[in-house]
Amino acid sequence: MLKRLLRYGFGAVLGILVGGASALYLAGLWPGTEPLDFGNIEVDGWRSDFNIGSEAADPYTRTRVARHGLLGLAKSEAVYFTRTTDSSGEPLREACEYRLSGGAMPAEWWSITLYDADSKLPMNEDAALSVDATGVSGNSEDWSALISPKRPQQETYWISSRNAGTFDLTLRLYVPIRALLDAPEDTLKPPVVERLSCEGEAP
Amino acid sequence: MKRWIGPLVAMVVCGIAAHFAVLHFTPGLIMDRTLSALKDRGIAEHAFTTPLRITPQTQAVVRTSPDLFYSLCRYDLSEEGSELSITMAEWPGYQSLSFFDADTNNFATIRGTGEAKNAYLITKRHPVGEDSHKILSPTSRGVVLIRRLAPTQELFDAAKEASVNDSCEWKAG
């Protein structure tokens, strides 16, 4: 009888461990998983899930967003696109310099912000955490910014990656136009992230 | 081998139950921890707290935008019939009033670019008044959040000045 109970107990505990761990893994909360490689929409390497903030979101998205995008707005008010790699598919990292370039966006206001692997703003005092539509208003149709751990001497727009380690970029589009919600792939021309050089590599 | 069929079934049943239990409860647990963290950081209950500008040093919630002014009000409508009266003061640029329940859902958002907005939050359905929005909160606890577009220090200071007229007032039933 005791052996039988032990077998059932072993099965139950194993099931709970595997079931719990698989939920965390699929929601991107397990250490080592890519929490931001999710979503049902991808436009040129920028990923999004338009169910963020809504009750329609599947349980995996809701769990992931609770950890990495808490207090995000529903799509009628704002949509969020994230990318973790440069245009050649390499992870974004502090040791490299990148050129971020783009044009007008299909929304009333947009911004691009750099976050570290913990989904936090990198701990530096450079006051260069993002670029936004108001900041590039004179060049809104054709703008570019440098992403670098050091303040550039010539660039007008700069996002500091100092102390960011491996990072990602989040594109916020506030009050998006209807066409973006209906057909994001046809409507959004997202910024390009081109790697310029990396520390220790020949330019 | 036959004696392992029962434990195997127990493993599968417990595994499925644990899988969905984790998914079901994790958002609520994270929100609960966030509400506690906000309380510890001085975010008031039933009042908007004047925020500090978002910087790496002041960020309290993940993925906040340094270009926005965020003002938070925690609420608890667990007392029967209680409601929350909210005013988002006038602001010339983009601003919104958004509501999040204890399960992290953004269950309502009101845009108020260039104008003040009022709203009432309840946990039971009430008739909607002519000049007000009565919004049903799916859970008794949650957060109300005002966002104002303020990408510069100058605009942030102006948003802070405008926020003097914001209010988040609890009323007994």
Side-chain angles (χ1 to χ4, degrees), chain B residues 23-44:
Chain B
L23 292 173
H24 181 76
F25 291 112
T26 301
L29 282 172
I30 291 173
M31 190 61 158
D32 193 54
R33 279 175 52 187
T34 302
L35 289 171
S36 299
L38 291 173
K39 184 182 175 188
D40 293 344
R41 282 181 171 249
I43 304 296

Side-chain angles (χ1 to χ4, degrees), chain A residues 53 68 71 77 115 168 172, chain B residues 19 59 63-64 94 106 147:
Chain A
H68 292 280
L71 308 185
E77 198 63 22
Y115 295 99
D168 66 79
R172 289 179 165 81
Chain B
H19 186 91
Q59 58 190 328
R63 291 187 180 272
T64 40
Y94 170 84
N106 172 208
R147 284 172 164 92

Side-chain angles (χ1 to χ4, degrees), chain B residues 124-158:
Chain B
K124 285 182 178 175
R125 291 203 179 278
H126 287 275
V128 177
E130 209 171 271
D131 299 319
S132 66
H133 302 273
K134 290 217 171 185
I135 297 165
L136 182 70
S137 173
T139 58
S140 59
R141 294 172 69 220
V143 172
V144 184
L145 173 56
I146 291 177
R147 284 172 164 92
R148 292 192 168 103
L149 178 57
T152 63
Q153 186 64 52
E154 197 183 7
L155 278 169
F156 184 86
D157 292 341

Side-chain angles (χ1 to χ4, degrees), chain A residues 37-50:
Chain A
D37 282 347
F38 74 102
N40 48 10
I41 293 156
E42 181 177 346
V43 185
D44 297 340
W46 294 83
R47 297 183 74 97
S48 184
D49 190 324
F50 285 1

Side-chain angles (χ1 to χ4, degrees), chain A residues 8 11 15 19 22 36 53 60 62 66 68 70-72 74 77 109 115 119 121-123 130 134 168 170 172 174, chain B residues 3 6-7 11 15 19 23 30 34 56-57 59 62-65 67-68 94 98 100 103-106 111 147 149 151:
Chain A
Y8 272 89
S22 62
L36 299 169
Y60 303 99
R62 286 183 55 209
H68 292 280
L70 195 63
L71 308 185
E77 198 63 22
W109 175 75
Y115 295 99
S119 295
L121 297 165
M123 197 54 79
S130 65
T134 59
D168 66 79
T170 289
R172 289 179 165 81
Y174 269 68
Chain B
R3 62 189 174 169
M11 186 181 82
H19 186 91
L23 292 173
I30 291 173
T34 302
Q57 291 73 30
Q59 58 190 328
V62 294
R63 291 187 180 272
T64 40
S65 169
D67 302 307
L68 296 168
Y94 170 84
S98 49
F100 297 86
D103 292 324
T104 74
N105 295 313
N106 172 208
R111 199 179 303 152
R147 284 172 164 92
L149 178 57

